[in-house]
Amino acid sequence: MYKFRKVIVVLSCFVGLIVLITVLSQFSWFPKAVNVQSGEQVTPVAEMDKAEVSPVFQSGSYQLQGEKGKIGLLSPGGYKVNMPNKYMWHIWKQGEPLTGKKFRVEAVSVTTGEKKQVLLQNNALVGEMNWPGKVPMNGADAGFPAMMRFDNPGVWRLDAFIDERAVGSITVEVK
């Protein structure tokens, strides 16, 4: 008889839990699904097709990669894994003084969505840097050098921000 009671209690708890989850799932704040990821990332073919590297355009006497009239990068050596390099950022149409502002770049893998820091200062990856105070160059309203390092190969979208305000994105291939 004692074992029978245990089974009844366990079954009652289980049924009660199912009823509770069913009732709670009617509310908008209750999670509808759980995204479980395995250790191995598999990139869908459709995602790979969407990952296009930003075009190259002429600005002054240089070829920049990015979005003409908005944001561009001069990258003479290309983008190489674990090779710190100086890249020249070019930004257009800011309409406000940039002195005293913070500049941030967030690198986002287009295949995994992983976010990384790529800006370097004193050989250390940093989340942001003070606006370097450079003047117009190569046809852009503002231009300045910044050291960057990419720790992983692949296609990366570089999202640039000035004081938390997005100024543009450049998608590059790191080899």
Side-chain angles (χ1 to χ4, degrees):
M1 188 71 177
Y2 180 72
K3 285 185 180 184
F4 182 70
R5 277 190 191 167
K6 262 185 162 177
V7 170
I8 295 295
V9 169
V10 169
L11 285 175
S12 297
C13 289
F14 183 70
V15 170
L17 184 61
I18 291 174
V19 169
L20 179 65
I21 290 172
T22 304
V23 169
L24 288 176
S25 69
Q26 304 303 311
F27 295 99
S28 62
W29 50 265
F30 191 79
K32 300 297 181 205
V34 177
N35 185 11
V36 178
Q37 295 181 352
S38 68
E40 182 179 330
Q41 291 286 344
V42 178
T43 305
V45 175
E47 280 296 312
M48 297 287 280
D49 291 341
K50 291 181 204 173
E52 289 187 21
V53 175
S54 295
V56 173
F57 62 92
Q58 188 76 27
S59 183
S61 58
Y62 293 96
Q63 293 282 318
L64 305 180
Q65 186 174 12
E67 188 176 339
K68 188 174 186 171
K70 189 171 185 179
I71 190 166
L73 259 180
L74 175 61
S75 56
Y79 307 93
K80 297 179 182 158
V81 174
N82 294 320
M83 295 288 295
N85 198 1
K86 185 188 292 186
Y87 299 91
M88 188 68 72
W89 286 90
H90 295 74
I91 299 174
W92 284 262
K93 299 178 185 169
Q94 291 308 301
E96 63 182 80
L98 300 174
T99 307
K101 307 259 183 194
K102 298 282 187 188
F103 178 71
R104 178 170 60 96
V105 176
E106 195 173 84
V108 182
S109 169
V110 298
T111 55
T112 67
E114 177 184 20
K115 293 181 181 181
K116 293 268 191 174
Q117 294 177 345
V118 292
L119 287 176
L120 280 175
Q121 279 189 327
N122 301 322
N123 292 322
L125 290 169
V126 294
E128 64 184 19
M129 59 189 273
N130 290 323
W131 184 260
K134 298 296 180 181
V135 294
M137 67 170 49
N138 303 324
D141 297 332
F144 60 92
M147 292 294 292
M148 293 194 299
R149 184 184 76 215
F150 298 90
D151 293 335
N152 301 97
V155 179
W156 292 84
R157 187 184 72 233
L158 305 177
D159 296 330
F161 300 85
I162 297 175
D163 276 356
E164 300 306 315
R165 181 176 51 85
V167 293
S169 297
I170 302 170
T171 303
V172 301
E173 183 176 8
V174 179
K175 297 178 181 180

